[in-house]
Amino acid sequence: MKTKICMQERFSEEQYGQMMDALFCRFPSFQKVGAGAYKPGIGNMEFIDQLLGHPHKQYKIIHVAGTNGKGSVSNMLTSVLSALGFKVGLYTSPHIIDFRERIRVCSEGTSTLIPKQDVWDFVHKWQDTFDHLDMSFFEITTAMALQWFADQEVDYVVLETGLGGRLDSTNIVTPVLSVITNIGLDHCDLLGQTLQEVAFEKAGIIKPCVPVVVGESSDATDAVFERKVLYTNLPEPKFMGNRAAIMSLLAFADKGEPKLWNDHEDILQEMDLKGEYQRKNLRTVLAALQVLNQVCGVCGEYDEKSMSAIREAIVNTAGRTGFHGRWEQVSDSPRMICDIGHNEHGLKYNFAQLTRMKAAGEIGKLIVVYGSVADKDVDSVIHLMPEDATYVFTQASSKRALAASEIYEKYKSFCDSEGRPYGDVFCCDKVESAVEKAKELAASDPSVLIYVGGSTYIVSETVAMLNQND
């Protein structure tokens, strides 16, 4: 017989900590153990949603899927909607330090995490149901978020999928807008081996009569989205088989010029999200807002006041929503940037930006602290790594971590095959020692940039370490 998650009736900090440990142990998250935590299908969610009284029907939802950029797009949309006067729930994953980062409400320029007491109360009330259904960690947190947002009487919820879309726990909702940021090869063991197969899974969030914005078009995947929109809406009486009317529900952000895009260079320069990949995310957000305005009137006539509010909200996204881990400068001396980009599709932008910065003289010496999980295609990433850099390969304290020595061997093998000099390369089996090694190599040189990334775990441990030292 399983031990209850909450043994005591009353909340305390100690009991809360024990409860969270039990949740992560009994119902492991994908963030902790990978594919073993993934439970495809929405049957459990439909069941508990019925028990909860369908809380997601009490507010409007923007549903966000995609391989990369989901977090940035979700946070920018949340920042804008809150700046326009709406109370907005935001559900994202993974978290960097505190589990509660996944569930927050943003209103009037402030971001509030779900209180520990509310987490405790929800788990305490429904723990027998979790056991009965053998729910995953993500299913539990999704149900918790949907209920808490209803309790908070939010106007909108920006709901990020966990993995895929079609079988994702969030896919019980009918949104007012669906957003699919882009398609890349990631989680191929679960989502498919081709871009078309991955796109099919992401397209699973498309619902009848709901407009869809796709951030990045592609010859390989556009037809997948077009077919999904068409076949989903053909039976709808309002369209009467009108193909043109149906296809008007689908917009590709990079094939249009959304409002404010003419100012995008200035906005990008001012944004507190500094990664160059934010250019594509910004365009997706502006296109999504334009469609959302057509459906819900959130921006009105795009007058000077609303456009100013939108611009200010986007520029200050991280500050308004508490968003972390995306090209985030976490130290000034030495200068250190963390980014959770972890696959080829995402890291090609990060490594290209580092290469450009070095070539332009914006940085002198580049030190890369890199680690990965074992289920990622590290070989597809290594060829993107900047040549003129010092590398400190490491591994997180996670069962999913790939050994630093194995990354080093892969890097060495690549360099040998390409005739590329190794440069200075080090291995550290702990993130803390890797970061300390990088700081030692920086030697108080103000021109040095330390880039930390490769996985959420590497960034999380780095940020936790730096916070401890402050």
Side-chain angles (χ1 to χ4, degrees), residues 28 221 231 258:
T221 60
Y231 296 153

Side-chain angles (χ1 to χ4, degrees), residues 338-360:
C338 286
D339 193 283
I340 67 168
H342 56 276
N343 53 35
E344 180 183 14
H345 188 268
L347 284 171
K348 67 180 180 182
Y349 296 106
N350 290 0
F351 288 146
Q353 183 169 351
L354 292 170
T355 298
R356 182 197 60 75
M357 290 172 70
K358 189 130 185 355

Side-chain angles (χ1 to χ4, degrees), residues 20 59 122-123 172 175 194 196 245 247 284 287 331 366 386 388 425:
M20 292 308 302
Y59 37 77
F122 184 85
V123 174
I172 61 170
T194 67
Q196 291 86 349
M247 296 314 296
T284 302
S331 171
L366 172 62
D388 189 14
V425 183

Side-chain angles (χ1 to χ4, degrees), residues 115-392:
K116 294 179 181 179
Q117 177 77 62
D118 290 6
V119 175
W120 168 273
D121 290 343
F122 184 85
V123 174
H124 191 275
K125 180 176 181 178
W126 295 101
Q127 59 184 330
D128 289 339
T129 303
F130 304 158
D131 281 339
H132 176 71
L133 297 176
D134 192 26
M135 293 177 69
S136 71
F137 181 86
F138 191 73
E139 288 171 333
I140 293 169
T141 57
T142 301
M144 182 188 302
L146 296 176
Q147 180 61 61
W148 189 65
F149 294 146
D151 294 340
Q152 298 304 301
E153 299 182 339
V154 301
D155 303 303
Y156 285 88
V157 165
V158 181
L159 190 69
E160 180 189 322
T161 61
L163 183 65
R166 182 174 65 93
L167 300 176
D168 188 74
S169 300
T170 62
N171 205 27
I172 61 170
V173 306
T174 298
V176 295
L177 173 66
S178 298
V179 179
I180 301 172
T181 57
N182 51 53
I183 301 298
L185 292 176
D186 197 18
H187 303 298
C188 294
D189 54 331
L190 301 173
L191 301 181
Q193 300 297 320
T194 67
L195 291 174
Q196 291 86 349
E197 289 174 337
V198 176
F200 175 80
E201 294 299 325
K202 308 289 187 183
I205 70 168
I206 294 173
K207 303 294 195 309
C209 303
V210 176
V212 186
V213 172
V214 177
E216 298 177 35
S217 59
S218 162
D219 291 341
T221 60
D222 286 0
V224 176
F225 299 122
E226 290 164 356
R227 285 195 298 270
K228 179 65 176 178
V229 170
L230 182 63
Y231 296 153
T232 299
N233 287 281
L234 271 175
E236 293 299 312
K238 68 176 288 185
F239 292 116
M240 300 289 290
N242 185 333
R243 182 188 177 100
I246 293 171
M247 296 314 296
S248 69
L249 291 171
L250 175 63
F252 291 95
D254 57 0
K255 292 183 178 181
E257 294 289 326
K259 296 282 188 181
L260 278 174
W261 184 245
N262 58 327
D263 284 342
H264 72 276
E265 292 292 353
D266 290 339
I267 295 173
L268 287 165
Q269 286 293 321
E270 296 174 27
M271 280 174 62
D272 57 9
L273 299 177
K274 293 297 185 184
E276 290 182 357
Y277 54 80
Q278 296 298 354
R279 177 183 300 271
K280 295 178 181 291
N281 294 331
L282 172 62
R283 192 166 191 160
T284 302
V285 167
L286 294 177
L289 284 171
Q290 192 161 304
V291 174
L292 190 61
N293 192 45
Q294 295 167 1
V295 175
C296 301
V298 293
C299 308
E301 296 299 320
Y302 275 99
D303 58 16
E304 185 176 344
K305 182 179 179 181
S306 65
M307 291 180 77
S308 176
I310 292 168
R311 178 173 177 146
E312 186 275 336
I314 290 174
V315 164
N316 296 296
T317 292
R320 292 175 62 94
T321 67
F323 190 39
H324 296 291
R326 276 69 170 183
W327 206 265
E328 181 180 9
Q329 185 162 329
V330 293
S331 171
D332 295 323
S333 182
R335 184 182 176 196
M336 186 183 302
I337 288 174
C338 286
D339 193 283
I340 67 168
H342 56 276
N343 53 35
E344 180 183 14
H345 188 268
L347 284 171
K348 67 180 180 182
Y349 296 106
N350 290 0
F351 288 146
Q353 183 169 351
L354 292 170
T355 298
R356 182 197 60 75
M357 290 172 70
K358 189 130 185 355
E362 296 176 34
I363 56 177
K365 183 177 182 179
L366 172 62
I367 302 172
V368 176
V369 177
Y370 176 87
S372 179
V373 292
D375 55 6
K376 294 299 177 189
D377 183 6
V378 176
D379 292 325
S380 69
V381 170
I382 284 177
H383 78 278
L384 300 170
M385 291 180 171
E387 281 195 45
D388 189 14
T390 296
Y391 287 92
V392 184

